Amino acid sequence: MFALEHGLDENEQRSLGKKLNTSLAKGESTSKYWLLWVVYSAEQGYDYDGEEFWETFERRTPYWTRYCDRRSLRDWFVKFHQRFDGFKPTGPWASWFSIIAWPITHALLPRDLQLQLAKALYEWRYALAARIDSPPAELGRFLATVSDEASSRFRNFLQQEEVAGRIVFALLGGRNEAVEHFIHSSTLDRIVTDLQKAASGRAWLHDARKVVERARFHGTSSVNQTTNMADVYRRDTGTHEQRPEIRPALTLRRVSAHEWRPVMELPSLRPIAEINSDLNKFLRQTRCQVAGSLGALPAGWLLQGDQRRVLTSWPSPNNPVVKFDREQPVLEHLLRVDGCITSGLAWLFRVGSDGLAREIISRVVRPGGRYIYVSSEQIAAPSFGEEISLTASGVTGLALDLPNVLASVEIDALRALHLSVSKNVRLVPVGLGARRWDGEGFAEWMDGETPCVSLLADFGVDSYCVKLDAEFVHVDVNGRSDPILLRFSDLSLGLHSLTVEVRPSDKTSPVISGLLQISMRHARPWIAGTSAHIGLVTTIEPEEPSLDRLWEGDVKLQVFGPADHHVRVSVDLLDAAGAKLGSEFIADLPLPVTAERWERALSIFLSKETDPWAFLRATSGRLVVEGDQLGVRQISLQREVAPVRWVWHKTGHGTTLRLVDDHESNDLPELSFYPFSHPARLEPISLELATEGFLPENEGGLCVVSYGEIQQALIVSMPTVVGGFRGLLVQPSLANLLPYSMSMMPRIASLIEIWSTAKLVGPLAGNRRDRAVTALRGVLCEFVCGRDWIDAENEYASSPKGVSNLKRFAGATGAPAAFNFVLARDVARFQMIPPTERTKDLIDLAQRYKIASREACSDALQVASWLEQGDRWSEAIAERITSSKDAASLTRAARFITTATSLPFEGQPTVPQVTRR
């Protein structure tokens, strides 16, 4: 039972609201009408837009704060749950928002989520159709798995897997007893009516329903011989193995008259991610490499769509093309089976009319065709062949221009290359063009499309015997010489084999066979405002960037396409309902957009003093890459909305902050402010002031709200300048911390983490934040290494950094002179070798000069690593700081390596290197 199933019309709902408010104004007991309050608040949940709940609720209910408590609402819903079997919200979101989760969940599908659900049903209509008879919770779980790029509000809704699955079933499955048992018919009518008010929502829902209807009713038919069109329908499609098509494809692109560049085309691994949540998580969190190409690729790269990589060396046919940084047995098994290039020592490519050479897996050639023959062994060119160059190492190539009529000598030469010659029986895709067609024996369509194939022989044919997987169809030609068209409806996902046996009219001639492999790939539906096939290849890191990480400059983008084109990059800011709040233009960039070019453009964009109000209000966004005729690429940017959060607005005097409190706990949140000028000095903020809005003084600083173990931090930089031009970047003071002691180290480490991870807003916020963090890190370093070492670091930083400065700096470690000399001489080598090898060398060097015990040296280097990386404080670090006191010079030596500039030591005496056993 859901509170939205009250059966009241609009007039009755308005009347109910007026009577409840009148009763409240009179001071009547609210518990008397608890069931009406449940209905009233569920209606508020139905209008919830993801921004806030209580502000609107209290505005609509003026006397609520005077006579009622928020927790009363939760108590009434619990009573509704117990008495009427009302639904109980579950999941992380319900735990965070423990009160408003009740009315929002009982609203079933709030208005702001309706269009998002319709879009998700449309995008995944084929996969949902295949699962429509699954339990509702499985439907909801599947939709949650594939909706990683959706808004946080929609993902929160999908955490109620049972509810989400039943709503999906109700929207797609039509009316039946099971649907009406779950949701009242008038309530479902209301949701569908509201959903269909938007033309796109109506169209999406209509198309999704049609696919489900077709999946539930598979027609069967024999060959239709009234025309030359043969319809072949799949029977028992559910029994066919549906294995994701992940086979890589090779193409050759002409670079010059006699040079070709190999390109690897990799299908998206998104269908594999849908198999289970563990594979999905692994693919989104693990980097990978493509065999034969340079560089590592970001996590989630193969989930962003089909990808291409230029090969600098030819990959091995015995190993998977894609290799991940970590092992995943299930994925490795799939890649070993289907993730390799075609086996063998040679590969055949047919040059198409577009100039691209596509691989012919069957290695069949036709007279008059143009081919590229690639071999991992040295090959002699036949009379009709010419040697070519390939930009990838490990293989050689021949260009084959076959004459229209092949002599026996030429046929023998082709057979010597292990190539077969076709006898001109062709299976060719027609009608709706195949998404991929190698010109011979492999074609690919998307799920939901109907493959249509033309069958034609250039000799007299008595009949064709067609076999699709396990089904036979006999086609009687009856003397016709026109093509036979074969149409295959409702093919399931996966690879299908179409074989044809041709019986010639001449009874003495042998039966000739033909083969076409048909691949059905998962559909990526067209969405309004986008191009289905774009000429832009984009790479984004991280794979699921957030809006906040973009605003902090921590998103890496690369765009590849034709070199004579430009792309315009902008960011759209969206509210919880998906409506655009604003759009910010980032840059107009020439292709290719490298990581360095993008970093410069984003840095310039972020340095502008823009009003952050739209950014603050946005619950999500999208990074838009526009290339005119090359198409448009949109990258989703998400943001998690916390129960307690800061909002801000730019005014003429600075940035005003306001606290939004939806955490619904019995304990009040704690609020504090740390100014830039004193980054470790806590100044409390009253809850009343924070709720109404306040303007930070002077340059601004760090605002923190804490509730339990959760913190929300915001750095606000004001346009105020104290002390002239030098005051632009602030000079942090930590005098309030003196003298430094071990007991205050956990607090300093915690402050460094909060300052480092807080969101930024306002001019020079990042620069001022960095100065505050540097000052706080200096406290830790001074405590561990001593004041004299900090003075030595500062002196070296302001010096010309010559040889004498380097030697003086090394001498400040306090270690023996010979140790310091080796340290300064070999600083370049120490900086270049891996950290584990550097640690080993430093410990060996320290043992050679008897600085301290091996254990103390190891602890000292771990403390130095902790200082450099800024990890959290722990008891283990405290113990290592204590045990490393005897090896403090080694901690300083590690700091020396990270800050010193290497110089050549010419004419210096030789000191023997440390040798390892």
Side-chain angles (χ1 to χ4, degrees):
M1 177 68 71
F2 293 88
L4 196 69
E5 298 176 299
H6 47 64
L8 303 178
D9 60 28
E10 291 186 13
N11 292 329
E12 290 169 330
Q13 292 174 36
R14 284 194 294 268
S15 177
L16 173 64
K18 289 179 182 179
K19 290 182 181 297
L20 285 175
N21 277 299
T22 301
S23 171
L24 202 59
K26 293 178 181 179
E28 295 182 3
S29 173
T30 53
S31 59
K32 180 180 179 180
Y33 306 113
W34 69 271
L35 187 57
L36 300 181
W37 282 112
V38 166
V39 171
Y40 179 82
S41 59
E43 284 296 326
Q44 169 65 27
Y46 191 68
D47 293 331
Y48 180 62
D49 63 358
E51 291 282 337
E52 49 77 28
F53 180 89
W54 290 114
E55 186 176 335
T56 302
F57 184 87
E58 292 166 359
R59 187 173 62 250
R60 293 180 177 179
T61 319
Y63 296 96
W64 175 265
T65 54
R66 183 182 302 180
Y67 297 108
C68 293
D69 184 81
R70 294 180 179 182
R71 288 168 292 184
S72 300
L73 197 61
R74 178 172 53 200
D75 295 339
W76 295 334
F77 270 99
V78 171
K79 188 176 181 180
F80 182 77
H81 162 66
Q82 295 170 346
R83 181 170 299 186
F84 298 105
D85 198 23
F87 190 84
K88 182 179 180 180
T90 57
W93 181 78
S95 300
W96 268 26
F97 298 88
S98 60
I99 298 179
I100 67 173
W102 286 92
I104 293 173
T105 302
H106 275 264
L108 279 171
L109 188 63
R111 296 180 192 272
D112 72 304
L113 299 181
Q114 291 172 3
L115 201 62
Q116 295 186 56
L117 179 59
K119 181 180 178 182
L121 296 182
Y122 174 74
E123 287 188 348
W124 300 101
R125 57 195 185 278
Y126 298 106
L128 288 169
R131 295 170 171 83
I132 198 63
D133 294 325
S134 303
E138 288 188 17
L139 278 180
R141 194 174 302 116
F142 166 75
L143 208 56
T145 301
V146 298
S147 299
D148 296 291
E149 297 179 0
S151 69
S152 60
R153 275 277 294 121
F154 189 60
R155 297 200 306 274
N156 291 337
F157 162 73
L158 293 176
Q159 288 176 9
Q160 312 291 330
E161 294 175 351
E162 180 78 16
V163 175
R166 290 192 177 273
I167 292 176
V168 169
F169 186 77
L171 292 176
L172 295 182
R175 300 303 175 80
N176 56 42
E177 185 178 347
V179 171
E180 294 186 357
H181 177 73
F182 166 70
I183 181 171
H184 195 265
S185 58
S186 62
T187 306
L188 179 60
D189 288 338
R190 175 185 180 184
I191 293 175
V192 173
T193 300
D194 289 342
L195 191 152
Q196 291 181 336
K197 287 180 179 178
S200 55
R202 183 167 59 250
W204 286 335
L205 184 59
H206 175 268
D207 288 352
R209 281 178 166 176
K210 294 294 288 182
V211 170
V212 172
E213 290 173 6
R214 190 177 67 180
R216 281 183 161 168
F217 182 74
H218 292 291
T220 59
S221 172
S222 59
V223 177
N224 183 349
Q225 298 259 7
T226 56
T227 65
N228 66 335
M229 174 68 73
D231 289 305
V232 182
Y233 293 91
R234 295 292 297 138
R235 299 185 181 91
D236 300 325
T237 56
T239 62
H240 185 76
E241 181 184 3
Q242 297 188 8
R243 190 168 67 186
E245 175 57 41
I246 60 173
R247 187 173 64 88
L250 290 168
T251 58
L252 302 178
R253 298 172 182 265
R254 188 190 295 272
V255 178
S256 62
H258 300 285
E259 187 176 33
W260 293 75
R261 174 179 292 130
V263 177
M264 181 75 72
E265 298 183 357
L266 298 160
S268 170
L269 294 188
R270 194 178 188 93
I272 288 183
E274 296 172 16
I275 294 176
N276 64 47
S277 57
D278 290 338
L279 288 175
N280 188 5
K281 183 178 180 181
F282 176 84
L283 289 168
R284 293 185 181 281
Q285 295 181 350
T286 312
R287 293 162 63 92
C288 67
Q289 289 182 317
V290 175
S293 68
L294 301 175
L297 298 163
W301 181 71
L302 282 169
L303 295 178
Q304 299 175 16
D306 296 350
Q307 301 284 9
R308 297 182 181 89
R309 295 291 288 176
V310 174
L311 300 181
T312 56
S313 62
W314 199 262
S316 168
N318 301 318
N319 299 316
V321 169
V322 178
K323 182 175 177 58
F324 291 90
D325 288 351
R326 295 185 290 120
E327 293 184 357
Q328 215 295 333
V330 175
L331 189 57
E332 287 185 2
H333 172 72
L334 291 173
L335 291 174
R336 278 196 301 269
V337 175
D338 291 329
C340 305
I341 65 172
T342 308
S343 60
L345 300 176
W347 298 264
L348 180 69
F349 298 82
R350 183 177 183 274
V351 181
S353 57
D354 57 359
L356 289 178
R358 296 174 175 86
E359 186 184 4
I360 305 300
I361 297 175
S362 61
R363 296 189 177 95
V364 175
V365 297
R366 296 184 180 277
R370 299 182 63 236
Y371 299 91
I372 302 295
Y373 182 82
V374 177
S375 175
S376 58
E377 299 178 335
Q378 291 296 325
I379 47 177
S383 59
F384 47 83
E386 180 183 6
E387 291 187 4
I388 60 166
S389 297
L390 294 167
T391 58
S393 60
V395 287
T396 57
L398 293 176
L400 305 177
D401 287 321
L402 303 187
N404 292 326
V405 177
L406 292 174
S408 58
V409 176
E410 293 164 333
I411 293 176
D412 291 340
L414 291 170
R415 287 174 177 169
L417 297 174
H418 303 287
L419 301 178
S420 302
V421 180
S422 170
K423 293 188 178 180
N424 294 323
V425 177
R426 298 210 66 192
L427 284 167
V428 181
V430 294
L432 179 64
R435 302 304 177 102
R436 213 162 94 193
W437 165 237
D438 67 1
E440 289 294 342
F442 180 84
E444 182 178 86
W445 283 268
M446 293 298 181
D447 189 9
E449 297 176 347
T450 301
C452 190
V453 178
S454 170
L455 174 59
L456 179 65
D458 61 359
F459 53 86
V461 176
D462 178 66
S463 64
Y464 298 98
C465 189
V466 180
K467 178 184 177 183
L468 179 64
D469 298 331
E471 293 186 26
F472 283 94
V473 177
H474 183 79
V475 183
D476 191 2
V477 176
N478 294 327
R480 294 203 314 263
S481 60
D482 51 345
I484 300 296
L485 302 182
L486 305 174
R487 186 176 62 194
F488 305 98
S489 303
D490 300 321
L491 288 185
S492 59
L493 291 173
L495 199 62
H496 304 270
S497 295
L498 175 64
T499 58
V500 177
E501 290 185 353
V502 185
R503 300 186 182 278
S505 301
D506 183 1
K507 303 300 183 181
T508 61
S509 299
V511 175
I512 299 173
S513 299
L515 170 66
L516 175 66
Q517 288 185 315
I518 297 176
S519 172
M520 299 301 295
R521 286 273 305 283
H522 186 82
R524 296 297 295 171
W526 175 82
I527 302 298
T530 66
S531 173
H533 303 282
I534 64 175
L536 299 173
V537 178
T538 59
T539 299
I540 192 81
E541 189 176 1
E543 188 265 334
E544 292 183 7
S546 69
L547 195 57
D548 297 303
R549 292 190 69 169
L550 176 72
W551 235 256
E552 293 170 7
D554 194 24
V555 172
K556 299 177 182 179
L557 175 71
Q558 296 183 77
V559 187
F560 301 97
D564 57 342
H565 286 73
H566 280 236
V567 292
R568 296 179 301 279
V569 186
S570 59
V571 57
D572 292 341
L573 301 172
L574 312 174
D575 63 15
K580 186 186 293 187
L581 296 172
S583 183
E584 298 281 353
F585 175 75
I586 297 179
D588 187 305
L589 300 170
L591 292 176
V593 178
T594 61
E596 294 75 17
R597 183 174 289 171
W598 162 251
E599 186 177 350
R600 288 194 299 270
L602 183 61
S603 177
I604 294 172
F605 164 72
L606 295 175
S607 66
K608 299 176 183 176
E609 294 188 25
T610 57
D611 186 352
W613 182 238
F615 164 69
L616 161 77
R617 290 182 56 206
T619 58
S620 63
R622 54 177 174 251
L623 192 63
V624 182
V625 182
E626 298 178 88
D628 295 328
Q629 68 269 30
L630 297 178
V632 179
R633 174 82 162 90
Q634 295 184 351
I635 301 165
S636 178
L637 303 169
Q638 298 304 325
R639 165 182 280 173
E640 293 291 343
V641 178
V644 179
R645 56 197 181 276
W646 294 104
V647 297
W648 66 92
H649 182 57
K650 188 176 181 180
T651 66
H653 302 288
T655 302
T656 301
L657 276 80
R658 183 170 63 85
L659 182 71
V660 176
D661 181 10
D662 284 334
H663 83 298
E664 301 169 350
S665 170
N666 296 331
D667 300 324
L668 295 177
E670 298 179 2
L671 300 123
S672 52
F673 176 73
Y674 298 87
F676 283 120
S677 56
H678 295 82
R681 188 177 71 193
L682 185 152
E683 299 177 3
I685 306 172
S686 71
L687 181 60
E688 181 180 2
L689 178 62
T691 305
E692 293 176 354
F694 74 102
L695 196 71
E697 297 180 356
N698 299 327
E699 302 96 338
L702 172 69
C703 302
V704 182
V705 55
S706 306
Y707 51 103
E709 297 180 354
I710 301 177
Q711 288 183 327
Q712 293 292 317
L714 175 71
I715 293 175
V716 181
S717 182
M718 308 296 283
T720 305
V721 176
V722 179
F725 184 76
R726 289 182 57 125
L728 280 173
L729 292 181
V730 185
Q731 301 298 322
S733 171
L734 298 172
N736 60 303
L737 294 178
L738 294 172
Y740 304 148
S741 65
M742 175 70 82
S743 61
M744 74 171 59
M745 292 302 108
R747 181 190 169 205
I748 300 301
S750 176
L751 281 172
I752 291 173
E753 182 181 8
I754 297 172
W755 274 95
S756 301
T757 58
K759 298 176 183 177
L760 302 173
V761 61
L764 300 174
N767 302 87
R768 290 174 171 177
R769 183 269 312 272
D770 292 344
R771 281 180 166 258
V773 171
T774 300
L776 289 169
R777 288 190 187 281
V779 172
L780 297 180
C781 186
E782 182 173 342
F783 177 78
V784 173
C785 299
R787 182 69 236 178
D788 57 336
W789 174 257
I790 298 299
D791 292 339
E793 280 194 8
N794 294 335
E795 179 185 345
Y796 179 75
S798 59
S799 72
K801 297 182 178 60
V803 173
S804 60
N805 305 116
L806 185 66
K807 292 167 65 176
R808 180 180 176 85
F809 185 24
T813 63
F819 174 92
N820 294 333
F821 174 79
V822 175
L823 186 68
R825 184 197 64 189
D826 294 347
V827 64
R829 184 180 69 85
F830 282 123
Q831 290 172 347
M832 293 177 62
I833 61 179
T836 53
E837 188 175 341
R838 180 193 310 160
T839 299
K840 174 66 175 172
D841 281 4
L842 282 174
I843 291 178
D844 288 348
L845 190 64
Q847 293 299 293
R848 180 181 181 83
Y849 293 103
K850 299 181 175 56
I851 290 178
S853 68
R854 180 173 291 272
E855 182 180 357
C857 291
S858 177
D859 288 337
L861 292 177
Q862 290 187 50
V863 170
S865 176
W866 173 75
L867 286 174
E868 182 180 352
Q869 297 175 10
D871 292 337
R872 291 186 175 185
W873 179 268
S874 65
E875 290 300 324
I877 287 296
E879 293 175 2
R880 289 189 178 107
I881 290 176
T882 301
S883 64
S884 66
K885 289 294 185 181
D886 294 338
S889 57
L890 200 56
T891 306
R892 297 179 178 186
R895 292 280 300 176
F896 171 86
I897 291 171
T898 61
T899 55
T901 302
S902 61
L903 292 170
F905 269 45
E906 297 180 1
Q908 298 292 340
T910 300
V911 176
Q913 296 276 344
V914 176
T915 56
R916 283 195 224 130
R917 296 181 180 178

